[in-house]
Amino acid sequence: MESLIPTWQVSVLGGVLAWIVVSSMFNVTRIIRSLTQPWVSSCVISGIPIILHIQKYQHTLFDALFSGLSCLVSVPFYTGFLPLLFWSGHGKLARQMTLLMAVCDYAGNCVKDVVSAPRPKSVRIVTATADEKDFAMEYGLPSSHTLNTVCLSGYLFHYILSYNENSDASFQLVGFAFVCIFVGLIGLGRIYLGMHSVIDIIGGLFLGLAILEFWLCVHEHVDKFVVSGQNVTSFWAALSFLSLFAYPTPELPTPSFEYHTAFTGVALGIVTGVQQTYDHFHHEHVPRVFTPQLPLAAFAGRILVGIPTILLVKFCSKALAKWILPITANALGISITSSGYVPALTSSSMVKKSNEVKQSNGYLQKMMFFSNQDSFDVDTGIRLLQYAGLAWSVVDLVPSIFSQLNL
């Protein structure tokens, strides 16, 4: 008789839980930080002359070019682009890039907060958008933009080649050269904008290559599990929950934890929705854009219907989570605070305590069933559910509406 819960799922979740316990007991984060932070910080300082030399070539054209490229490969851009990719009929590519993005975001932010290395100082910073100012609040190593560009452009190139088996060597060479140039421009741009040092770019490059190599080995297995596996939703929900508590504590509070929480919610929503509706909306034979079955006008109609719908779902998911989570916590006798989402739980003292709860006590102390803390920040759960609801609507609710409207 087949087991209700596959052994490998128990092993994965047990391994993550064991890592949380061991990491807390032996202060793994502090040990790694003590070994890496001094060296990385010295590399950042020694690399400042290189940044200043590159910035000598300042020009408004370069400002616009590199700021635009940075926006093009940022997490907010991908968050807006990926729904369009799902609705265009390229479901497999969209879900693979979403999950890969979640892995990149989590791994990159973990390394940032473990090492807690500063960004370069005493250099001119070009910030074209509010997002850049938020990114500047994070630690430097590795460069998330470089990391994401290596992984996503590399995977896209692999995907194109795998679906175009008759491509000749010249096509492959041109494609590879384009990816390399694009990655190089992103890295150079981050240095030019004063957002990263050379060591940050190198770290992002090598970490991105490692993640990409790993993903190319497992992506088919992951996709098969998502679309037709056993206990998909429950396993992914448990993994998402544990990943919140496995996240390392930075030296000082940063927004990195909030960013990863949001995209972890996105991955959870995508997996849940695809697993439930794969045979209806996400199989390999669905209509694709620029074909007679899905002309450009119909795709434009999907966008006009889909975007307002997912924004409404995001708003409703947040409102529902703000109502349900505090009630659930109170029913369980768990003391909670809010750093902004729930005004009734917010005060200056509560916000200060919330920051301490989230950022100052290590892996194990984040887990309510092991913690001696007085209260927990409910905003983390709200953010996770908010983005999970948004992502679920992209692959489940909105395609259902498309079906009803014959789009």
Side-chain angles (χ1 to χ4, degrees), residues 9 13 16 225 230-245 264-265 267-272 384-385 388:
Q9 294 184 15
L13 297 178
V16 175
F225 169 68
Q230 185 180 4
N231 298 321
V232 177
T233 301
S234 57
F235 169 76
W236 210 279
L239 184 63
S240 300
F241 178 78
L242 288 178
S243 71
L244 297 178
F245 303 122
T264 297
L268 174 60
I270 292 296
V271 169
T272 301
L384 180 73
L385 294 179

Side-chain angles (χ1 to χ4, degrees), residues 27-234:
N27 288 323
V28 172
T29 296
R30 294 183 181 180
I31 293 174
I32 297 176
R33 183 177 299 142
S34 67
L35 296 174
T36 58
Q37 188 187 65
W39 180 78
V40 175
S41 298
S42 66
C43 290
V44 172
I45 295 173
S46 63
I48 289 179
I50 299 176
I51 302 174
L52 295 175
H53 178 74
I54 292 175
Q55 290 185 339
K56 286 181 180 179
Y57 299 95
Q58 178 192 357
H59 191 278
T60 54
L61 178 62
F62 292 149
D63 291 353
L65 172 64
F66 291 128
S67 295
L69 286 175
S70 293
C71 291
L72 191 63
V73 297
S74 64
V75 173
F77 173 81
Y78 288 123
T79 304
F81 171 74
L82 288 172
L84 307 186
L85 196 57
F86 275 106
W87 301 337
S88 70
H90 296 277
K92 182 176 182 179
L93 175 62
R95 60 180 176 266
Q96 284 292 312
M97 293 190 73
T98 301
L99 298 181
L100 177 56
M101 185 71 188
V103 172
C104 291
D105 191 61
Y106 189 84
N109 286 341
C110 279
V111 174
K112 283 178 186 286
D113 285 349
V114 167
V115 179
S116 294
R119 290 178 181 262
K121 299 178 180 179
S122 303
V123 297
R124 182 181 67 91
I125 298 179
V126 178
T127 51
T129 65
D131 289 331
E132 289 284 15
K133 296 178 181 178
D134 292 337
F135 295 147
M137 298 172 62
E138 297 182 287
Y139 289 110
L141 180 78
S143 164
S144 296
H145 286 72
T146 306
L147 167 61
N148 295 339
T149 305
V150 169
C151 287
L152 297 180
S153 61
Y155 183 79
L156 179 60
F157 179 56
H158 166 80
Y159 183 86
I160 293 173
L161 291 182
S162 64
Y163 276 82
N164 188 19
E165 298 178 353
N166 296 325
S167 60
D168 54 20
S170 60
F171 175 82
Q172 298 178 16
L173 181 61
V174 170
F176 180 75
F178 177 81
V179 171
C180 292
I181 292 172
F182 186 56
V183 172
L185 285 174
I186 294 299
L188 178 62
R190 302 308 288 168
I191 297 175
Y192 173 87
L193 296 175
M195 297 297 294
H196 284 287
S197 60
V198 176
I199 188 64
D200 299 338
I201 304 302
I202 294 175
L205 176 63
F206 280 97
L207 181 59
L209 290 173
I211 293 175
L212 178 60
E213 177 64 24
F214 166 77
W215 193 254
L216 292 178
C217 293
V218 304
H219 70 112
E220 291 291 350
H221 302 288
V222 173
D223 195 65
K224 183 179 179 180
F225 169 68
V226 169
V227 302
S228 62
Q230 185 180 4
N231 298 321
V232 177
T233 301
S234 57

